[in-house]
Amino acid sequence: MKVTAELCETIAMKSSQDMLERMPSWISGNISKADQPLLIGLTLLLKPVKVVEIGVASGWSGCLFIDALQKNNNNAEYIGVDFSQQYFLDSTKETGSAIAQLFPESDVKKRLLLGGYAIDYIDDIGKGVDLAFIDGDHKHPWAILDLLSLLPVLSPDAYVLIHDINLSTYIRHEQAYRGPKYLFECWPLEKIHSSQVLTMIGAIKLPSSIEGSLLTTLLNTVYTPWEINVDVSVLNKIARSISQNYGNEWGQRFQAAFHKMNLSKENNVGNFDFIESLIRVVSQHPRSISHLNMLQSAEPVFPQSSKLQHHISVLHYRNNNLEKAIDHSLRAVKIDGANAHYISFLGELYLRTNDIVKAEAYLSEAVRLQDNVAIFHYRLALALEKSERIKDSFISANRASDLAPGNVDFSELLSRLKNHPNLR
C-alpha cells in the first residue's frame, strides 16, 4: 500500500476530531488541527513499534501519537525528547504534562527524556525507531542536526515527520526559523505533506540504507547559513556519531562544516543587532515576566526602537495585560507609522477590548498599506463581523482565504458568514 497524505488525512479525521474534544484548555503552542491528521494517519498506517518525538512541549502531539498507537494495539513505545524540563509557555507545568493528564495508564510504553538533546539520548533511545517527529528548535541548523542525531537509530524505510515547514513565511518571523523548510525541501527521496496551503507538516521517508549521495545532500544543506549558535560540544557528539556509523571521512566532513558555519560573536560583529538578538532570546519564553523585564530594561537605551516597543506589546498581550499591550503598541506605531504589521496588531488589541471603532480604523489602515497579507484581512473581517457589517466582513474574509487557501480559521469564518442571515 502506497502511503499518501490524502490517505493519512482521510483515515485520521475522526480520531483527530475526537482528540480535539479531549484537549485540555491550558494547552497552546501545539500543532494545529490542520496538522494533526497527517501525524495521526501516518501512525495508524505504519503501525510503528517505536516512535520518537523531538520537542515535546505540552505533550499534546505525544498524546496524539499515544492514542493512535493504542488503536494499533501492537505493544508500541513512545519516547519524547526535550531540552526543557518545563513547558515553555507555562513554567508551572512540566514538559509533557498533557500525556500524564490524558494517558495516566496505557498499554503504550511511555518515556520522556528531558534536559538534553537527541544526541545525548541516542543510547537510551536505541535502534528500531520506525517513526520520528522533529519539532524542536526551528532555527537552522537544528532540524537537520536532530535528523543527523537520529539517523543511526532510525530503521530502514522509516518515516520522519517535520513540523513548521513554512513557519519562516509568516510576516512576523521575517524569514527566520528556516530549519524545517531547508530539511524538507532538500530531501531528495520520497516525501509527503499535508493538504493545507501553505503546509506546515510533512514527512520524509528514509531509504533502505544510507548512501553517500544522501549524506552529501545533508552536508550541502548544513552549509546553508546558520541562524543560531550551537554548543560546540553538541556538534562534536554529532560528528563522532557520524564517524562511528558512516566512517571517519564523513565525520570529518560534517565536523568541518559545523566548524565553518557555526555562528559566533567573532565572525558576526559587523552584523550584530542587539535588539534582534534580545528579542530572539525572549521569544522563547513568551509568558515569562523576567524576560519581559529584559525587554523593558532596554527601553531607555533604545527609546526609538519600534521593534522593541512592538515586542514588549506582544509579551504584555501574551500575559493578558491588554492595557499595557495597547500602550506599547501605540508607541511602536507612533515611531513607525508605515509598518502595517504593527498597525494591524494594534487593531487586533483594540478588537480584543471590543473597541470596534478603533479596531476597524487601524485594521483598515493596515490593509490599505499592505493588501497582500492574509492575516490583516482576517482580523478586519472579524472586526466587521462584530459591528454587524456582514457583507463587508465577507469580502475581507474572502480576500484572506484567497491569499491563504486552505487555512482552517479563514475557512471557518467564511462558512459562518455565508450562513449569516444578513448576507442573503
Side-chain angles (χ1 to χ4, degrees):
M1 175 180 56
K2 182 174 177 57
V3 174
T4 66
E6 182 180 12
L7 180 59
C8 289
E9 292 179 330
T10 300
I11 68 169
M13 206 53 68
K14 185 179 186 307
S15 293
S16 181
Q17 188 57 46
D18 290 345
M19 286 299 292
L20 284 172
E21 293 175 2
R22 297 178 62 191
M23 180 189 286
S25 60
W26 57 266
I27 289 178
S28 60
N30 51 284
I31 70 172
S32 73
K33 60 183 176 183
D35 301 334
Q36 286 187 184
L38 185 67
L39 181 152
I40 296 169
L42 195 59
T43 309
L44 292 172
L45 278 175
L46 297 179
K47 301 189 185 305
V49 295
K50 185 183 287 190
V51 173
V52 172
E53 176 180 24
I54 298 176
V56 177
S58 68
W60 176 245
S61 49
C63 289
L64 300 178
F65 277 122
I66 292 166
D67 181 66
L69 292 171
Q70 282 187 162
K71 289 181 170 66
N72 290 341
N73 194 27
N74 61 345
N75 298 316
E77 180 179 21
Y78 164 84
I79 303 171
V81 179
D82 201 300
F83 187 77
S84 177
Q85 301 274 359
Q86 281 77 42
Y87 174 34
F88 76 101
L89 289 178
D90 184 350
S91 59
T92 66
K93 295 186 180 298
E94 295 179 356
T95 293
S97 291
I99 296 173
Q101 182 175 339
L102 267 63
F103 296 95
E105 295 182 4
S106 170
D107 292 334
V108 176
K109 295 187 287 290
K110 307 180 295 288
R111 284 193 285 154
L112 292 180
L113 305 175
L114 308 179
Y117 300 103
I119 192 64
D120 298 318
Y121 296 120
I122 288 303
D123 290 340
D124 298 283
I125 294 170
K127 292 185 180 294
V129 177
D130 33 16
L131 180 60
F133 184 29
I134 294 178
D135 192 22
D137 195 322
H138 299 318
K139 299 186 189 75
H140 183 61
W142 266 113
I144 201 164
L145 293 180
D146 286 334
L147 177 66
L148 290 169
S149 298
L150 290 178
L151 215 50
V153 298
L154 288 168
S155 298
D157 302 311
Y159 277 82
V160 178
L161 287 150
I162 303 168
H163 193 227
D164 285 325
I165 293 170
N166 282 298
L167 187 66
S168 62
T169 63
Y170 285 11
I171 296 290
R172 67 180 182 271
H173 292 313
E174 299 176 339
Q175 296 298 314
Y177 305 97
R178 303 183 68 81
K181 187 176 185 68
Y182 286 150
L183 175 54
F184 187 78
E185 293 187 353
C186 88
W187 193 254
L189 306 172
E190 185 178 336
K191 55 187 172 183
I192 58 176
H193 63 75
S194 72
S195 58
Q196 183 186 22
V197 182
L198 292 165
T199 184
M200 280 295 155
I201 189 167
I204 58 177
K205 183 181 181 183
L206 265 68
S208 298
S209 61
I210 305 300
E211 305 292 344
S213 58
L214 179 59
L215 291 172
T216 298
T217 299
L218 296 176
L219 180 64
N220 289 339
T221 309
V222 167
Y223 274 109
T224 305
W226 291 13
E227 297 180 295
I228 190 172
N229 180 268
V230 179
D231 189 318
V232 173
S233 66
V234 174
L235 296 174
N236 289 341
K237 290 177 184 177
I238 295 173
R240 279 199 301 273
S241 174
I242 294 171
S243 291
Q244 291 166 3
N245 289 279
Y246 307 109
N248 288 334
E249 184 178 349
W250 281 111
Q252 291 168 7
R253 288 185 186 182
F254 277 93
Q255 182 72 74
F258 296 158
H259 178 75
K260 181 174 182 179
M261 302 307 298
N262 201 17
L263 296 175
S264 68
K265 290 181 180 179
E266 288 72 27
N267 61 23
N268 283 279
V269 170
N271 297 316
F272 186 68
D273 183 335
F274 177 81
I275 294 296
E276 182 64 32
S277 299
L278 183 59
I279 287 169
R280 286 184 180 180
V281 171
V282 172
S283 65
Q284 297 175 33
H285 309 274
R287 285 184 170 79
S288 166
I289 298 301
S290 61
H291 285 81
L292 172 59
N293 292 337
M294 286 171 61
L295 283 187
Q296 291 177 318
S297 68
E299 280 189 88
V301 184
F302 301 94
Q304 293 302 308
S305 172
S306 59
K307 182 184 290 187
L308 179 61
Q309 292 296 334
H310 171 69
H311 280 82
I312 292 174
S313 173
V314 171
L315 260 67
H316 276 304
Y317 171 59
R318 288 175 175 168
N319 283 281
N320 299 313
N321 193 333
L322 284 174
E323 185 177 346
K324 288 186 177 180
I326 288 173
D327 179 49
H328 286 278
S329 188
L330 282 166
R331 295 183 201 179
V333 170
K334 184 177 181 180
I335 296 168
D336 187 356
N339 189 308
H341 180 68
Y342 297 168
I343 293 169
S344 180
F345 183 70
L346 178 56
E348 181 178 8
L349 293 177
Y350 278 122
L351 185 59
R352 297 288 181 179
T353 63
N354 287 315
D355 190 335
I356 306 302
V357 174
K358 287 182 180 178
E360 281 189 31
Y362 283 109
L363 293 171
S364 297
E365 176 64 9
V367 166
R368 186 190 69 78
L369 288 170
Q370 199 167 344
D371 180 66
N372 63 345
V373 181
I375 191 65
F376 293 177
H377 291 277
Y378 174 70
R379 290 169 176 167
L380 179 57
L382 291 176
L384 293 168
E385 182 188 26
K386 277 195 171 185
S387 63
E388 292 296 322
R389 293 168 58 188
I390 302 303
K391 291 182 180 179
D392 291 334
S393 177
F394 180 78
I395 292 171
S396 293
N398 204 47
R399 175 66 173 148
S401 188
D402 286 343
L403 288 168
N407 183 289
V408 175
D409 292 330
F410 299 172
S411 298
E412 286 183 354
L413 175 59
L414 263 180
S415 178
R416 185 166 73 240
L417 292 170
K418 284 178 182 177
N419 294 318
H420 198 287
N422 290 352
L423 189 65
R424 297 166 188 169

